[in-house]
Amino acid sequence: VAAMKIVRYQHELFSPSRPSFPAVASDGEIYSTTFLGGAIKDIEVGFKTEFLPTDKITVEGSVYLAPEHVGEMGITHVVIQAGALGSYQIDSSGGIVAFDGSLVGSIAPRPLKAVENLSVINDLVFSNFGVTTATLSIFFSYTLIDKNITVYSGSPLTIEIGD
């Protein structure tokens, strides 16, 4: 089972494509960045958007950076809007922290790679925390530190938790 979880995204060749999201930049420029995101139930092949609260859910994203951004000093970001549950983000230790409008990095500042993989949640069962219904809107982004440019997914990966 553990081996299947490690290679689950390599199975994309045999399952539907992960959803892609348009890139928007804080400087108004258009970059060739591509954002992909997906959620899976336990070790099932294929990406889903609707889950039971008792399902074990893993959510990940990938950012295919514009070539001119590869190697630039930067940080990645993941922001989760969860309606009445609040807004959160992933910090550089992989923890979920409150989002107050100020972005924190999901990685420590470093030269950005051509593909940045972003872990959002791993094997989370919402009912274990008393959550039986929720809508999560997940945004992916990165910031080029020296240029003060943030490139982000213009629409979210949305997943529904409920019966």
Side-chain angles (χ1 to χ4, degrees), residues 83-119:
L85 298 174
S87 293
Y88 302 91
Q89 57 188 326
I90 308 298
D91 67 14
S92 60
S93 66
I96 298 174
V97 298
F99 176 64
D100 63 3
S102 300
L103 289 171
V104 299
S106 59
I107 60 169
R110 63 165 169 74
L112 294 172
K113 301 175 193 172
V115 179
E116 293 286 347
N117 292 307
L118 308 174
S119 179

Side-chain angles (χ1 to χ4, degrees), residues 142-158:
Y142 64 93
T143 297
L144 302 174
I145 296 170
D146 296 335
K147 296 181 179 178
N148 196 28
I149 297 172
T150 299
V151 182
Y152 55 95
S153 54
S155 59
L157 166 63
T158 302

Side-chain angles (χ1 to χ4, degrees), residues 23-36:
V24 178
S26 61
D27 64 354
E29 296 293 323
I30 297 173
Y31 298 105
S32 61
T33 300
T34 302
F35 293 94
L36 300 177

Side-chain angles (χ1 to χ4, degrees), residues 21-162:
F21 307 97
V24 178
S26 61
D27 64 354
E29 296 293 323
I30 297 173
Y31 298 105
S32 61
T33 300
T34 302
F35 293 94
L36 300 177
I40 62 168
K41 175 185 168 188
D42 200 17
I43 61 169
E44 290 183 3
V45 175
F47 299 98
K48 303 175 81 173
T49 57
E50 296 179 354
F51 298 90
L52 296 173
T54 54
D55 288 341
K56 189 184 295 185
I57 303 168
T58 295
V59 180
E60 293 186 3
S62 296
V63 182
Y64 291 79
L65 274 72
E68 62 267 34
H69 296 164
V70 175
E72 295 277 343
M73 284 300 291
I75 52 178
T76 58
H77 313 282
V78 177
V79 174
I80 306 163
Q81 294 175 339
L85 298 174
S87 293
Y88 302 91
Q89 57 188 326
I90 308 298
D91 67 14
S92 60
S93 66
I96 298 174
V97 298
F99 176 64
D100 63 3
S102 300
L103 289 171
V104 299
S106 59
I107 60 169
R110 63 165 169 74
L112 294 172
K113 301 175 193 172
V115 179
E116 293 286 347
N117 292 307
L118 308 174
S119 179
V120 181
I121 56 177
N122 188 32
D123 290 342
L124 181 66
V125 178
F126 280 85
S127 63
N128 289 349
F129 299 94
V131 177
T132 57
T133 184
T135 299
L136 305 180
S137 298
I138 302 164
F139 293 87
F140 306 101
S141 66
Y142 64 93
T143 297
L144 302 174
I145 296 170
D146 296 335
K147 296 181 179 178
N148 196 28
I149 297 172
T150 299
V151 182
Y152 55 95
S153 54
S155 59
L157 166 63
T158 302
I159 62 173
E160 299 282 339
I161 310 299

